[in-house]
């Protein structure tokens, strides 16, 4: 039974229409998991999964000095990959803050690095026009009030979010994680008491504060339940909206903007043993499919213990960026055409142009039902400039497929009246 008494929000505010539309237009977001856990190279859950004693874990801060961390290099990689927004962990479940919070000593400015990572990264993103989103963990394995003084913890985390909303410029989005009220393996396990929040997070008050301080900021909660009041988009972890292939997401798809969240390999944070990197072709097909559904792709990158984006991830991002240089016009700013999902792929629109995402080869010709189209195409070409024959017969628009049709990634076709 879902914990209904915790899944509630009386928020009165939502993000501005401008902020929501900008999110819908951007389509592609890098996410970054990075922190003390990166030093161990075993993923971001190493403290919990490895049963690392808190006192021992905290001492990692004394050695945190990633000599290759360079916020501008990260931002340039994001920009070149065609990712118009980025989400970065400001505080993960271990409670360590990558920003200079005045509310805790467990933070990056108290390490040998001694620099406010979030401040430097925010400035680098602003220079390149990349929309900045913050990840913040509701769960906290470090703060004693989380288990022993719930009102004090709520005050603490609300005030930290206020710091993030007031000290780092324009914030395009905020994602909360660590609250999974309907996930029985955590909820029913006595060894997982940290996963069972002992009280109300007061989401309504939190969300209204964020929307007051940052009116364009879109909010989501990776709670795997239908969205609450004050949330502006719905995210699906390791899943396509509505499919629930992993078993812990909700199958409910709201009317809000949508996003799906995947790692580049099989880990969210740096894991030396994880070499299962996805190919750029697979990720491009995922991006295309999600765009055809009107959803964004959140693609995770996990910098290593020295602050470097690992070579395999950097290469995949470069290849996606090269593809988007040619095909991005058909991705950014588009919206699905009603009834636009077909056996061969998807049909989307932007302004006076339709785009066909041909993901499965339909044969020598692509046939569209003219009466179901928002415009009747008379001209067609691939995104790399190959002109295609178009004719109309019996109300159907028939497009000759390009000569190089057998592309494992798929072909993007521009259609104009």
């Amino acid at each position: 039974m879902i914990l209904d008494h915790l899944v509630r929000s009386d928020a009165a505010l939502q993000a501005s229409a401008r902020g929501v539309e900008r999110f819908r237009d951007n389509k592609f977001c890098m996410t970054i998991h990075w922190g003390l856990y990166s030093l161990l190279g075993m993923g971001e859950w190493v403290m919990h999964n490895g049963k690392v004693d808190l006192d021992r874990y905290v001492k990692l801060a004394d050695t945190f000095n990633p000599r290759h961390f360079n916020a501008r290099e990260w931002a340039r990689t994001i920009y070149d990959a065609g990712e118009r927004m980025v989400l970065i962990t400001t505080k993960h479940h271990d409670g360590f803050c990558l920003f200079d919070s005045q509310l805790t000593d467990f933070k990056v400015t108290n390490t040998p690095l001694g620099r406010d990572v979030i401040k430097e990264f925010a400035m680098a993103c602003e220079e390149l026009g990349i929309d900045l989103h913050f990840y913040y963990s509701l769960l906290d394995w470090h703060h004693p009030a989380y288990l022993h003084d719930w009102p004090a913890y709520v005050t603490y985390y609300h005030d930290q979010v206020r710091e993030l909303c007031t000290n780092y410029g324009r914030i395009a989005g905020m994602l909360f994680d660590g609250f999974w009220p309907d996930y029985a393996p955590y909820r029913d396990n006595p060894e997982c008491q940290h996963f069972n929040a002992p009280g109300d997070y007061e989401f309504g008050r939190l969300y209204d504060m964020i929307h007051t301080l940052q009116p364009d900021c879109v909010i989501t909660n990776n709670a795997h339940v239908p969205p609450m009041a004050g949330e502006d988009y719905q995210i699906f972890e390791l899943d396509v909206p509505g499919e629930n292939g992993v078993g812990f997401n909700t199958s409910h798809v709201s009317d809000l903007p949508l996003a799906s969240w995947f790692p580049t390999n099989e880990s969210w944070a740096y894991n030396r043993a994880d070499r299962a990197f996805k190919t750029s072709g697979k990720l491009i097909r995922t991006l295309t499919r999600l765009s055809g559904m009107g959803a964004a792709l959140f693609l995770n990158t996990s910098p290593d213990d020295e602050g470097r984006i690992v070579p395999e991830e950097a290469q995949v991002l470069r290849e996606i960026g090269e593809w988007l240089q040619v095909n991005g016009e058909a991705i950014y700013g588009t919206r699905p055409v009603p009834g636009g999902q077909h056996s061969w792929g998807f049909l989307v629109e932007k302004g006076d142009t339709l785009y066909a995402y041909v993901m499965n080869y339909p044969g020598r010709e692509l046939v569209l039902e003219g009466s179901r189209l928002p415009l009747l195409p008379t001209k067609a070409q691939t995104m790399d400039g190959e002109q295609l024959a178009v004719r109309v017969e019996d109300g159907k628009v028939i497009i000759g497929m390009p000569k190089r049709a057998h592309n494992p990634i798929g072909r993007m076709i521009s259609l104009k009246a």
Side-chain angles (χ1 to χ4, degrees):
M1 177 67 69
I2 195 169
L3 302 180
D4 290 320
H5 66 290
L6 297 181
V7 186
R8 63 185 183 189
S9 166
D10 60 356
L13 303 178
Q14 302 285 152
S16 69
R18 178 177 61 183
V20 172
E21 287 307 295
R22 188 174 176 93
F23 175 82
R24 286 166 60 90
D25 287 345
N26 283 341
K27 292 295 183 78
F28 191 23
C29 179
M30 176 188 281
T31 74
I32 297 173
H33 280 70
W34 196 57
L36 291 186
Y37 42 79
S38 303
L39 297 178
L40 301 178
M42 300 171 66
E44 75 287 0
W45 280 65
V46 62
M47 179 181 170
H48 173 78
N49 293 342
K51 302 187 186 310
V52 179
D53 178 76
L54 177 60
D55 290 338
R56 178 184 163 207
Y57 188 86
V58 167
K59 290 178 181 178
L60 288 173
D62 296 335
T63 63
F64 188 76
N65 193 17
R67 58 195 177 97
H68 290 294
F69 166 67
N70 186 312
R72 283 191 170 90
E73 288 183 3
W74 283 12
R76 174 53 63 177
T77 297
I78 295 163
Y79 184 88
D80 290 346
E83 293 167 305
R84 295 189 169 182
M85 49 187 171
V86 61
L87 172 82
I88 186 170
T89 51
T90 62
K91 184 195 82 165
H92 207 268
H93 310 329
D94 61 356
F96 179 73
C97 297
L98 280 181
F99 64 105
D100 188 23
S101 173
Q102 301 307 299
L103 304 171
T104 182
D105 292 330
F106 195 41
K107 58 184 179 179
V108 68
T109 47
N110 286 343
T111 69
L113 180 64
R115 292 150 50 191
D116 188 333
V117 167
I118 298 302
K119 177 75 76 175
E120 292 184 22
F121 190 58
M123 293 173 62
C125 289
E126 183 179 14
E127 289 173 1
L128 293 178
I130 300 166
D131 282 356
L132 180 62
H133 293 230
F134 287 153
Y135 169 113
Y136 185 92
S137 173
L138 300 164
L139 174 64
D140 196 312
W141 296 328
H142 172 265
H143 200 292
Y146 184 88
L147 290 179
H148 303 297
D149 188 349
W150 186 250
Y153 179 72
V154 170
T155 297
Y156 168 75
Y157 102 80
H158 277 227
D159 286 347
Q160 280 207 320
V161 172
R162 181 181 292 275
E163 287 182 319
L164 290 168
C165 288
T166 54
N167 296 336
Y168 295 92
R170 188 181 74 84
I171 308 304
M174 186 78 71
L175 181 149
F176 294 98
D177 194 22
F179 170 61
W180 307 293
D182 203 27
Y183 192 54
Y186 292 157
R187 195 181 65 241
D188 300 337
N189 187 341
E191 295 184 0
C192 295
Q193 59 178 331
H194 265 99
F195 300 98
N196 299 311
D200 190 340
Y201 279 104
E202 300 184 31
F203 289 126
R205 185 164 64 89
L206 175 73
Y207 294 166
D208 280 350
M209 176 187 71
I210 295 168
H211 284 136
T212 298
L213 296 172
Q214 295 278 349
D216 295 341
C217 179
V218 292
I219 297 171
T220 195
N221 194 324
N222 187 39
H224 310 149
V225 296
M228 294 177 276
E231 294 171 8
D232 304 296
Y233 70 100
Q234 184 178 8
I235 195 160
F236 296 82
E237 182 181 349
L238 300 173
D239 233 329
V240 172
E243 291 191 357
N244 195 18
V246 294
F248 56 67
N249 281 304
T250 177
S251 57
H252 170 82
V253 179
S254 72
D255 293 331
L256 297 176
L258 306 172
S260 288
W261 196 7
F262 297 96
T264 307
N265 52 8
E266 299 300 317
S267 304
W268 292 110
Y270 179 53
N271 186 335
R272 291 186 183 89
D274 186 354
R275 311 300 299 167
F277 295 100
K278 300 175 181 67
T279 66
S280 58
K282 179 176 182 178
L283 292 169
I284 289 168
R285 283 185 67 87
T286 300
L287 171 63
T288 303
R289 182 185 179 195
L290 290 170
S291 180
M293 300 171 66
L297 171 61
F298 280 38
L299 180 63
N300 190 72
T301 300
S302 47
D304 67 12
D305 53 327
E306 293 286 356
R308 297 167 294 204
I309 296 176
V310 299
E312 294 86 352
E313 290 182 336
Q315 178 63 29
V316 165
L317 292 169
R318 278 194 296 270
E319 292 171 0
I320 296 174
E322 291 168 359
W323 184 87
L324 281 168
Q325 286 180 5
V326 176
N327 296 279
E329 176 189 321
I331 299 290
Y332 306 123
T334 59
R335 301 290 185 269
V337 171
Q341 186 166 347
H342 303 273
S343 59
W344 48 262
F346 298 88
L347 198 63
V348 302
E349 62 181 328
K350 179 171 61 178
D352 62 354
T353 306
L354 300 178
Y355 298 96
Y357 299 172
V358 184
M359 303 179 69
N360 302 307
Y361 185 54
R364 295 176 61 185
E365 296 178 327
L366 180 65
V367 181
L368 305 175
E369 190 64 53
S371 62
R372 298 180 180 177
L373 301 178
L375 60 86
L376 195 64
T378 61
K379 294 177 287 186
Q381 69 174 35
T382 63
M383 299 308 297
D384 56 2
E386 182 179 347
Q387 300 295 318
L388 306 177
V390 181
R391 69 182 192 276
V392 178
E393 293 181 0
D394 300 324
K396 298 185 185 323
V397 178
I398 303 171
I399 303 159
M401 285 298 292
K403 298 173 182 177
R404 302 183 303 279
H406 293 284
N407 185 324
I409 294 176
R411 300 303 297 271
M412 314 290 272
I413 297 174
S414 168
L415 307 169
K416 290 181 176 289

